[in-house]
Amino acid sequence: MKSLSQKVDLKNLSPPELLEFLGPFGKERYRSVQILRWLYQQGVESFDQMTNLSKRLRQEISQVSFISALHPLCIEKATDGTKKFLFQLEDGHRIESVLIPDKTRLTLCISTQAGCAFACRFCLTGKTGWKRDLVVSEILNQILAVRKTLPEEKAITNIVMMGMGEPLANFKNTMKATALMAHPDAFKFSSRKITLSTVGLLPELTTLSKEKIPFRLAISLNASNEETRTYLMPVNRRYPLARLLALCKDFRLPPRIRITFEYVLVDGINDSPLDAKRLLRILKGIPCKINLIPLNEAPEIPFRKPSEEKVRRFQEILMGGGLTVIVRNSRGQEISAACGQLRGKYSMCDRGEFETASDTSSILNATD
Ligand code: SAH
């Protein structure tokens, strides 16, 4: 019998890899389809639950593989309905996922790395530095763990990779995970309901520009000229705005799909009418829409968010130029669940208070 560390985590396998893995057992192809469905549609956490597989096959597979799972260490709930899930990984690193209910949507924001290496000046996650990449199962288990807490009639409708980390810096694992999110025998999300957000890593974006991708693409732009972008996002030194935009012009997207540009509005830094006009100019010729995100403030961040008036003015200039522009007022701010606020720190969890505070509305015991 193999120890757990020698066994294969089934959720790290792509569908073709799973098929290959099952090969030595001499099993029919449809077994891998059955297993995919058990893992991702039913969300089972033990082989015993895979009742349409023979006892013998279950036994054989369980000797060489295992089914990993994540269990939230704690769940915090904001008054606007947003919930933040804290997970502790095998090696002690912590990651977070955020569930955001909307009128018709239930969006789950997931992490792809523990920490982040890109150190954007306005982002708290960036202050913690990079810890490590998540493996495929750790990316997917966030979805399964959150789904398990939902009542049966509630389904997650959208997945956004906008939690901790830079998805394209963990390219291979993130691509495998997105393939499973979209796979008809796994999560079955339509590719329109999955969004990957990136700081704009050119080599990986170049690869993606030539492929048929099963997700929407969001790019964190955050400035309209090189100087300001480099100041806010050091990655711009390596992958400058001009090259990023040139690539976006070449991107082969499916019909009616546009790139989303995210633009965090930072008071006095990138929010002037001049910035808006320049943004209009540089985005000419790129089928896109804009998400404006007024900065989420934090004591550790040396910036403020602009006044509502300034935000409106910025939006109007862009819309005047024919762009689709949405202002994303962040959700879950009081529990630090908003964009750029995830860093795996829970004072209440760490003090162990969540176990006794399960009856309060702001923090729930994970088993509730
Ligand atoms: N690394 C990826 C995925 C993280 S997404 C990326 O940067 O795109 C997080 C989004 O939140 C990004 O658009 C980022 O620019 C934005 N963000 C980060 N810190 C923020 C803050 N303090 N206020 C508002 N938005 C922020």
Side-chain angles (χ1 to χ4, degrees):
M1 181 86 153
K2 292 190 173 186
S3 74
L4 206 58
S5 61
Q6 294 169 307
K7 290 184 178 184
V8 171
D9 180 348
L10 284 186
K11 291 178 190 164
N12 280 333
L13 303 180
S14 66
E17 284 168 348
L18 180 64
L19 197 61
E20 197 183 319
F21 176 78
L22 294 171
F25 303 103
K27 291 303 165 193
E28 310 81 344
R29 288 181 80 84
Y30 70 87
R31 294 292 180 207
S32 81
V33 171
Q34 287 175 321
I35 292 177
L36 282 175
R37 291 181 182 164
W38 282 119
L39 292 176
Y40 303 111
Q41 294 181 2
Q42 307 300 322
V44 304
E45 290 178 16
S46 89
F47 291 104
D48 290 339
Q49 292 168 280
M50 300 186 174
T51 46
N52 58 2
L53 301 186
S54 72
K55 267 218 165 97
R56 178 157 171 194
L57 177 60
R58 281 185 254 162
Q59 244 235 301
E60 282 173 352
I61 304 174
S62 69
Q63 276 168 9
V64 288
S65 66
F66 70 101
I67 304 169
S68 62
L70 281 177
H71 304 285
L73 207 55
C74 83
I75 306 170
E76 281 186 277
K77 191 172 176 193
T79 40
D80 67 7
T82 303
K83 280 187 194 165
K84 187 165 80 160
F85 295 74
L86 175 70
F87 298 104
Q88 181 145 314
L89 308 175
E90 287 281 295
D91 57 4
H93 289 308
R94 290 176 172 195
I95 57 163
E96 291 172 314
S97 317
V98 182
L99 187 66
I100 310 151
D102 212 339
K103 276 180 224 98
T104 53
R105 283 185 297 211
L106 187 57
T107 302
L108 181 65
C109 173
I110 58 172
S111 297
T112 52
Q113 297 183 308
C116 183
F118 289 86
C120 297
R121 214 176 264 265
F122 46 81
C123 177
L124 268 187
T125 312
K127 300 235 176 284
T128 59
W130 178 82
K131 304 295 189 314
R132 71 167 171 84
D133 288 345
L134 300 190
V135 296
V136 181
S137 62
E138 290 166 332
I139 299 174
L140 298 175
N141 276 329
Q142 295 170 64
I143 308 176
L144 292 168
V146 171
R147 198 176 68 185
K148 238 171 77 175
T149 66
L150 297 175
E152 207 162 309
E153 70 280 5
K154 282 236 164 89
I156 296 168
T157 59
N158 295 61
I159 299 287
V160 296
M161 281 161 274
M162 297 187 184
M164 285 176 155
E166 166 50 45
L168 295 188
N170 182 13
F171 191 64
K172 246 178 78 190
N173 293 341
T174 303
M175 289 309 110
K176 263 170 104 169
T178 54
L180 281 157
M181 289 175 208
H183 195 283
D185 295 313
F187 286 99
K188 286 200 287 197
F189 285 107
S190 142
S191 57
R192 290 162 187 268
K193 306 283 182 180
I194 307 170
T195 303
L196 182 150
S197 175
T198 175
V199 293
L201 303 186
L202 288 181
E204 288 76 14
L205 278 175
T206 305
T207 306
L208 292 182
S209 71
K210 297 174 188 143
E211 287 175 12
K212 195 165 167 260
I213 49 176
F215 47 81
R216 287 178 185 266
L217 195 61
I219 297 179
S220 298
L221 211 56
N222 298 336
S224 61
N225 63 9
E226 303 287 357
E227 193 191 347
T228 311
R229 192 163 193 268
T230 300
Y231 172 67
L232 290 175
M233 303 176 71
V235 68
N236 193 63
R237 221 169 271 136
R238 185 128 185 241
Y239 301 125
L241 183 60
R243 283 176 57 203
L244 178 61
L245 293 172
L247 178 61
C248 289
K249 287 198 173 104
D250 281 349
F251 228 93
R252 289 204 344 249
L253 290 166
R256 295 192 311 279
I257 292 283
R258 290 177 285 172
I259 294 178
T260 299
F261 289 113
E262 293 154 286
Y263 194 104
V264 179
L265 284 165
V266 186
D267 191 38
I269 305 286
N270 65 358
D271 62 340
S272 71
L274 197 76
D275 284 301
K277 285 174 195 150
R278 198 163 40 211
L279 191 57
L280 257 184
R281 205 167 54 235
I282 64 174
L283 294 181
K284 265 218 164 68
I286 306 175
C288 65
K289 47 188 178 176
I290 315 289
N291 278 354
L292 295 177
I293 317 170
L295 177 83
N296 296 309
E297 297 176 358
E300 296 90 330
I301 290 173
F303 303 119
R304 314 292 299 180
K305 69 170 171 203
S307 65
E308 279 181 27
E309 178 51 33
K310 269 172 125 181
V311 174
R312 202 169 28 245
R313 179 95 187 93
F314 200 94
Q315 181 183 26
E316 277 166 8
I317 294 174
L318 295 180
M319 286 171 55
L323 287 177
T324 308
V325 190
I326 293 166
V327 178
R328 289 253 174 259
N329 282 309
S330 287
R331 307 276 306 267
Q333 292 196 38
E334 90 246 40
I335 55 164
S336 293
C339 293
Q341 297 194 318
L342 304 182
R343 53 177 178 171
K345 278 203 181 145
Y346 281 64
S347 49
M348 287 200 246
C349 261
D350 289 338
R351 291 200 299 267
E353 287 177 18
F354 68 99
E355 276 170 11
T356 52
S358 57
D359 54 344
T360 72
S361 61
S362 65
I363 190 152
L364 300 174
N365 187 323
T367 55
D368 278 358

